[in-house]
Amino acid sequence: QVQVVQSGAEVKKPGASVKVSCKASGYIFTSYGITWARQAPGQGLEWMGWISFYNDNINYGKKFQGRTTMTTDKATSTTYLELRSLRFDDTAIYFCARIAVNTLAIDSWGQGTQVTVSS
Amino acid sequence: QSALTQPRSVSGSPGQSVTISCTGSSSDFDGYNYVSWFQHHPGKAPKLMIYNVTRRPSGVPDRFSGSKAGNTASLTISGLQAEDETDYYCCSYADNYTSVVFGGGTKLTVL
């Protein structure tokens, strides 16, 4: 069955970088895309970007352009999200999810990765 | 893009129906039939309930239905059950499908 499994919790200092992984299984990886979103404490979902493996396009949310990089290792069906120059308000649960390229439905979500920025 | 606008909270009694609205600008919705709705229990993975405005993934009860009129999409939950109590988010594509925008989320309370 479709599974999207993320890496474990991270604690980082302000100014550092964090890299979260998202491993997919149970489907043809290159027929879909992966999107990233986050949820800060007490806040709603915030979209960060998405990568389509259909045409290798990567789109970042305006707020995250320049500070975020999404990369993929197709051999292991793993996508990575790197966020640099961390600030206290980057503390959040980070989610990855599969996007079906034909319907654009975000249909399978990872369990979330807690990233805490603390001095 | 600014977030899509949802009511902060809605409520209903068991067995009743509730509707959650999601309003965006024309650039969020115009020509795009890719509105989705997610159920999200805090601390857990969001669950897709509706996609492409009206379509339900397999396994989602037909008590959940979606619609759209102009710049407002709606999620209707009929026959409310206690287990439906949680947060719901809408989302859509914008900027020629290069970006995704979420609603601010609606907390559903089953009285």
Side-chain angles (χ1 to χ4, degrees), chain A residues 35-37 39 43-47 50 59-62 93 95 99-100 102-112, chain B residues 1 34 36 38 40 42-48 51-52 55 87 89 91 93 95 97-105:
Chain A
T35 192
W36 290 88
Q39 185 176 37
Q43 304 297 312
L45 294 170
E46 180 177 34
W47 181 72
W50 75 291
N59 294 292
Y60 297 104
K62 288 185 173 64
I93 301 175
F95 293 99
I99 296 180
N102 53 345
T103 63
L104 296 184
I106 304 172
D107 62 3
S108 295
W109 291 71
Q111 81 277 20
Chain B
Q1 300 74 24
Y34 295 107
S36 294
F38 300 97
H40 188 206
K44 297 195 172 182
K47 178 182 177 183
L48 179 66
Y51 67 101
N52 293 174
R55 300 177 69 178
D87 300 324
Y89 292 87
C91 89
Y93 285 83
D95 293 337
Y97 312 110
T98 61
S99 65
V100 172
V101 59
F102 284 103

Side-chain angles (χ1 to χ4, degrees), chain A residues 48 59-68 84:
Chain A
M48 299 183 70
N59 294 292
Y60 297 104
K62 288 185 173 64
K63 179 177 176 177
F64 300 99
Q65 285 174 356
R67 203 162 67 94
T68 305
R84 300 177 291 277

